[in-house]
Amino acid sequence: MTNELHPYQDRKKLKWNGFFLSEHTAMVAKEKKERAIVIKPKEKLTEEEIGSILSEAVVKSKRVAVQLDKVVDDSYLPDIAGMVSGYDEAGIYVGGERVNFDEIRNVEFQSVAKWSELED
């Protein structure tokens, strides 16, 4: 008799809304935040300046940050950072990624903070 007084109504999609994972929501928010960041261009270096910095990085085992001369959605791509692990006649390998010499806009040495210098 209670079924006649209160018939069951399926809430369809509404009943599944609680199953969205918080990780998914956080990932979507992070991607939205990253798209909002606009990376400004650094000074365009000459081939000689780029070569000099890369040579010193190889000889003295220094980390570098490479900005590519490539714009996507009115923003430069994030720097490719790491150690120079190899090179050939067309490009270099930085942090495991291959970068052609003609794509490089800027190269600079990158300092890594020691754990003892980090603040909470």
Side-chain angles (χ1 to χ4, degrees), residues 22-86:
S22 62
E23 292 87 9
H24 173 68
T25 306
M27 183 182 68
V28 170
K30 180 182 173 190
E31 287 177 359
K32 184 177 180 182
K33 185 178 177 182
E34 287 175 353
R35 282 183 292 211
I37 296 172
V38 176
I39 299 172
K40 303 288 184 203
K42 296 179 182 177
E43 176 187 354
K44 185 161 177 69
L45 300 179
T46 64
E47 289 181 22
E48 291 80 23
E49 292 171 321
I50 292 170
S52 173
I53 293 170
L54 291 175
S55 294
E56 185 176 342
V58 170
V59 171
K60 296 184 178 180
S61 297
K62 292 186 176 183
R63 291 179 57 89
V64 293
V66 178
Q67 183 178 50
L68 300 180
D69 202 7
K70 188 174 187 180
V71 179
V72 176
D73 296 330
D74 298 327
S75 176
Y76 281 83
L77 297 175
D79 289 355
I80 299 170
M83 302 291 288
V84 178
S85 58

